Amino acid sequence: FEKEVHASEADILAYYNTHLNQYMTDEKVKVEYLLLSKNAQESEEAFAKKADEFIKLTYDQNESLAPAADKLELTIQKSGDLLKTNNTQAAPFNNPKVITAAFSEEVLGQMNSDVIQLEENQYIVLRLLEHHKPKQKALAEVQSDIQKRLIAQGAAKKAEAFSLQWLAAIKKGENYKAWEPAKSYHLKWESAKDVSRATASMPMKIMDEAFRLPKPVSDKALAKHTVINDAYQGIIVLHKVKNDPLNTQALDQKKHLETQLGHYVAQLEF
């Protein structure tokens, strides 16, 4: 149906103007940071003293990381671009507390962050290097994406209307496999027999919808339109429902067990 849909420049512009918030650049920052880790030769007491000094130096002199770096012989490191959401950075920037600190008012206001404990014997403190606020993307950057979106939406509407027409024809008793309007789209029916909820070869959405249909009466097939996802729609025709002998056996076993438990409880109460 996509070949039948056209998205004009006016359509694209109108969509862009009404969905500006969807077309913004990501807010991102770059930071410099100090990482304090206990080495194997240090005692717990010595490292605890160093950690206290680390916290005090970065707090008291929060305009720079240099004093703490010099005093504790640490290297000031730099991050790549950090995003507020959907970060794929390696440690330590895969830690949500670190990302929250990177975008905190203190850091964006050119102050050192609070010291964050990463592990039992590892701490980090951050300082802002660059801050790029979200900006509106130009129409030219997103025009192709909008065009594809509008065509997909238009095709979905046409597919739904077509499916509902087909469904109406089926309910009138027409031969759904030989319905003339469907031939021009080269649509094919897929048949499935002995389908159970454990059948893995069928889309889950179709399975769910099929098992929600009531049992056909007098071998009269039931039909239903369903939206599988944003790109696909379909019609389900249910011909027959067979009882599962295993399920029937399981129900009989359940009833037998409930009866036994009932007798047992009655004996206990007696």
Side-chain angles (χ1 to χ4, degrees):
F1 293 94
E2 289 185 347
K3 294 179 180 179
E4 300 178 0
V5 181
H6 173 69
S8 67
E9 290 186 4
D11 294 333
I12 293 170
L13 179 60
Y15 186 92
Y16 173 76
N17 286 333
T18 54
H19 297 83
L20 291 174
N21 288 340
Q22 292 183 14
Y23 299 106
M24 303 289 291
T25 60
D26 292 319
E27 182 178 11
K28 56 187 178 183
V29 298
K30 287 184 179 180
V31 299
E32 57 181 2
Y33 62 99
L34 292 176
L35 200 61
L36 179 69
S37 303
K38 179 181 177 296
N39 61 53
Q41 290 73 38
E42 280 184 302
S43 66
E44 294 289 343
E45 184 179 356
F47 181 74
K49 184 177 180 181
K50 184 186 288 186
D52 287 341
E53 191 172 12
F54 182 68
I55 294 170
K56 188 174 189 306
L57 285 167
T58 55
Y59 179 80
D60 290 345
Q61 302 183 59
N62 63 12
E63 72 286 349
S64 174
L65 297 178
D70 293 341
K71 184 72 180 290
L72 300 174
E73 298 181 347
L74 301 173
T75 300
I76 298 177
Q77 304 180 63
K78 296 180 181 181
S79 75
D81 287 332
L82 304 177
L83 302 179
K84 203 168 188 177
T85 57
N86 300 322
N87 254 298
T88 56
Q89 294 279 349
F93 299 105
N94 58 350
N95 187 317
K97 291 181 180 179
V98 177
I99 295 300
T100 298
F103 287 89
S104 66
E105 289 185 12
E106 291 79 12
V107 172
L108 296 181
Q110 297 294 337
M111 296 169 61
N112 295 342
S113 72
D114 290 336
V115 171
I116 302 163
Q117 184 171 7
L118 300 174
E119 298 176 5
E120 184 178 358
N121 290 314
Q122 188 177 56
Y123 299 86
I124 190 173
V125 63
L126 317 173
R127 183 171 183 80
L128 184 69
L129 283 176
E130 298 177 17
H131 179 208
H132 299 278
K133 296 180 180 180
K135 291 183 180 180
Q136 189 70 55
K137 292 182 179 179
L139 175 60
E141 294 180 65
V142 298
Q143 185 167 353
S144 176
D145 176 68
I146 295 175
Q147 183 181 36
K148 291 177 183 177
R149 185 185 295 268
L150 291 176
I151 289 174
Q153 290 176 352
K157 289 180 181 178
K158 281 184 170 290
E160 181 179 16
F162 186 84
S163 298
L164 292 175
Q165 289 176 9
W166 202 347
L167 181 64
I170 294 170
K171 290 184 176 180
K172 287 179 182 178
E174 295 185 34
N175 184 342
Y176 61 91
K177 290 187 177 181
W179 194 53
E180 195 65 31
K183 294 180 181 179
S184 60
Y185 292 102
H186 305 289
L187 300 174
K188 295 181 180 180
W189 285 89
E190 293 187 18
S191 299
K193 295 181 179 180
D194 298 326
V195 176
S196 72
R197 292 185 183 274
T199 302
S201 59
M202 186 175 292
M204 185 60 68
K205 178 67 174 178
I206 293 179
M207 290 274 290
D208 288 343
E209 294 292 349
F211 278 95
R212 290 176 188 272
L213 286 169
K215 187 176 181 179
V217 179
S218 302
D219 293 328
K220 185 177 180 181
L222 297 175
K224 182 179 182 180
H225 166 256
T226 183
V227 178
I228 300 170
N229 54 40
D230 291 341
Y232 294 97
Q233 302 190 34
I235 296 174
I236 300 169
V237 179
L238 179 65
H239 291 277
K240 189 176 182 180
V241 175
K242 294 191 295 185
N243 290 326
D244 186 346
L246 293 178
N247 284 347
T248 303
Q249 184 179 2
L251 287 172
D252 290 341
Q253 290 175 345
K254 180 182 176 185
K255 289 179 181 178
H256 179 66
L257 181 60
E258 287 174 346
T259 301
Q260 286 184 321
L261 288 172
H263 291 324
Y264 180 65
V265 171
Q267 289 174 4
L268 286 177
E269 288 178 346
F270 179 77

